[in-house]
Amino acid sequence: MEKKSKTQNRDIGDTTCKKQGMDYLWLALTAFGGLGLEAVYAFALEPMIYGCEMRDWNTWQTLLHWTVTCVTWGFVAWYTIRKAKRDCGFDLFKKGGSVRLWQWIAAIGCAAICLASTYIDWQGSKLLIEFMQLGALKFIFQYIYYLFEVVLFMLIIVYGQKAFEVWFRKANIPYGGIVVALTWGMAHWFTKGTLAAGLYSAFGGFCFGAMYLLLNRDIKRTYAALCVMFIL
């Protein structure tokens, strides 16, 4: 049997890389689409059902919205994790390596920047302000909602990172942070109605992507760190 030339092998390898990269990018966009379904609920479906805009919903309508959104996001997360394992052989829960001292210092610095920017943006503690504004019941549901939101934008980071690493074969650039900055930031620009909100979210998204790399792609460490950076 005639052996394939080096050029043929390289072409096959490039084609495989392009396909696998697209598979990961598609997973990232699927996670982003899952986040976007909330806008469909909030601005299209639920106003028709409730007969009023989101700002006029009562407590139970708001709680139902958050519940339906969380269920949707949970399903999308499960679907992408399962598909990544089945189609790409990617185990999201594979334990990362040990984190060096300089990485911990950089991670703490990154978290501190996010927390400081949140404090300045809210002119105080976001946690306390939301508790005072929402009351205990809505506060609990709001923060459960945040926990699910972190899962999906974390998956955008993870899959976006994998896609560009496959294509460019460089692992020390926060591609996932760039992807989530562009997608999640753009979504906040749309939902919040201001460019400043979109840029603020884009900056946060880039920091989240950097945190994923600093913690050696360990998903449990990353999720805990992102929850602190985003929720607090």
Side-chain angles (χ1 to χ4, degrees):
M1 183 180 292
E2 184 179 354
K3 292 184 179 180
K4 294 181 179 179
S5 68
K6 291 183 179 180
T7 301
Q8 287 175 314
N9 287 333
R10 190 183 306 116
D11 290 343
I12 292 171
D14 289 344
T15 301
T16 301
C17 284
K18 288 179 181 178
K19 181 183 183 305
Q20 189 175 48
M22 283 304 302
D23 288 341
Y24 282 120
L25 183 61
W26 178 249
L27 289 169
L29 294 177
T30 300
F32 173 61
L35 285 174
L37 285 174
E38 186 197 11
V40 177
Y41 296 159
F43 299 111
L45 297 179
E46 288 170 301
M48 288 191 299
I49 295 171
Y50 302 148
C52 58
E53 298 298 319
M54 188 177 185
R55 63 177 176 272
D56 298 320
W57 292 349
N58 62 35
T59 296
W60 294 106
Q61 288 168 336
T62 301
L63 297 184
L64 182 59
H65 166 76
W66 284 333
T67 301
V68 171
T69 299
C70 287
V71 171
T72 301
W73 286 350
F75 174 78
V76 172
W78 169 83
Y79 170 79
T80 61
I81 293 169
R82 180 174 176 270
K83 189 170 179 62
K85 183 70 177 293
R86 184 188 63 194
D87 295 352
C88 304
F90 177 64
D91 183 4
L92 182 71
F93 300 101
K94 182 180 179 180
K95 185 174 177 58
S98 59
V99 179
R100 297 178 180 178
L101 178 60
W102 74 265
Q103 290 174 288
W104 282 119
I105 294 172
I108 291 170
C110 188
I113 291 171
C114 282
L115 292 173
S117 64
T118 300
Y119 190 89
I120 293 170
D121 183 54
W122 282 75
Q123 298 182 344
S125 170
K126 174 177 177 284
L127 192 74
L128 294 177
I129 291 171
E130 288 204 306
F131 181 79
M132 293 174 64
Q133 290 178 345
L134 298 172
L137 181 61
K138 290 176 73 174
F139 177 84
I140 291 170
F141 274 78
Q142 170 81 87
Y143 276 71
I144 293 172
Y145 162 94
Y146 285 154
L147 292 174
F148 279 86
E149 186 174 9
V150 172
V151 171
L152 277 195
F153 72 68
M154 180 181 67
L155 291 177
I156 297 174
I157 292 169
V158 172
Y159 299 136
Q161 184 71 33
K162 286 292 295 182
F164 285 90
E165 283 183 1
V166 168
W167 288 329
F168 299 126
R169 297 182 175 87
K170 290 186 178 180
N172 58 351
I173 299 174
Y175 302 112
I178 296 170
V179 173
V180 82
L182 293 173
T183 54
W184 196 54
M186 183 175 61
H188 276 77
W189 182 7
F190 170 74
T191 57
K192 302 296 183 182
T194 65
L195 176 60
L199 292 175
Y200 177 77
S201 298
F203 169 75
F206 184 80
C207 289
F208 299 154
M211 182 65 75
Y212 176 58
L213 297 189
L214 288 171
L215 297 179
N216 287 341
R217 298 171 173 79
D218 187 287
I219 205 65
K220 294 179 181 178
R221 294 175 193 150
T222 301
Y223 180 70
L226 297 190
C227 282
V228 169
M229 294 166 68
F230 177 68
I231 294 175
L232 300 184

